[in-house]
C-alpha cells in the first residue's frame, strides 16, 4: 500500500539509506546469482563425478559447491527487496514466507 511505502521511505531517510546504495548492493547480488549459480552447479556436477572415487577432498568440494548454490539462491529475495525500494513484496506471499 502507499502508506507502507511512505513509512518505509521515512525509515530509510532516517537511517541514512540511499536508493543508490540499495541499487548497487542489489546489482552485486544479481551478479552473484548470474555468475555464481551456474559456476557452482558446474562445479557440483564435476565433483559428483570425482566423488565416485571416494576421495575426501572431492566430497568436501562437493559440499562447498552445494553450500555456495544455497547462498546464491538465498540472495534472490534480498535482491528483490532492494530493487523495490525495500518493499517486502515477496514476504507478503504466505507460501514464499513459509519457505524462506
Amino acid at each position: 500500500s502507499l502508506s507502507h511505502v511512505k513509512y518505509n521511505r521515512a525509515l530509510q531517510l532516517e537511517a541514512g539509506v540511499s536508493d543508490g546504495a540499495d541499487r548497487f548492493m542489489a546489482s552485486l547480488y544479481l551478479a552473484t546469482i548470474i555468475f555464481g549459480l551456474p559456476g557452482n552447479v558446474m562445479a557440483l556436477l564435476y565433483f559428483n563425478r570425482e566423488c565416485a572415487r571416494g576421495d575426501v577432498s572431492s566430497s568436501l568440494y562437493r559440499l562447498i559447491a552445494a553450500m555456495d548454490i544455497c547462498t546464491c539462491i538465498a540472495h534472490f529475495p534480498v535482491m528483490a527487496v532492494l530493487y523495490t525500494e525495500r518493499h517486502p513484496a515477496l514476504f507478503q506471499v504466505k507460501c514464499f514466507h513459509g519457505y524462506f
Side-chain angles (χ1 to χ4, degrees):
S1 70
L2 188 56
S3 63
H4 175 72
V5 172
K6 287 181 182 178
Y7 175 74
N8 199 13
R9 184 67 183 145
L11 287 177
Q12 285 179 351
L13 291 174
E14 184 179 305
V17 177
S18 70
D19 288 334
D22 282 351
R23 300 250 183 230
F24 177 72
M25 286 302 300
S27 298
L28 288 178
Y29 287 138
L30 181 62
T32 301
I33 292 170
I34 289 173
F35 296 112
L37 197 58
N40 283 308
V41 167
M42 288 189 299
L44 184 62
L45 293 175
Y46 173 77
F47 288 115
N48 271 339
R49 282 192 311 236
E50 292 294 317
C51 195
R53 298 185 314 188
D55 191 9
V56 174
S57 63
S58 294
S59 297
L60 289 174
Y61 283 127
R62 186 175 63 171
L63 180 64
I64 291 168
M67 291 306 296
D68 282 345
I69 289 169
C70 293
T71 302
C72 289
I73 292 171
H75 285 166
F76 177 74
V78 177
M79 178 196 66
V81 168
L82 290 176
Y83 271 131
T84 58
E85 296 180 355
R86 297 189 180 207
H87 186 270
L90 287 175
F91 293 102
Q92 292 176 349
V93 178
K94 289 185 183 200
C95 179
F96 179 81
H97 189 267
Y99 173 75
F100 194 73

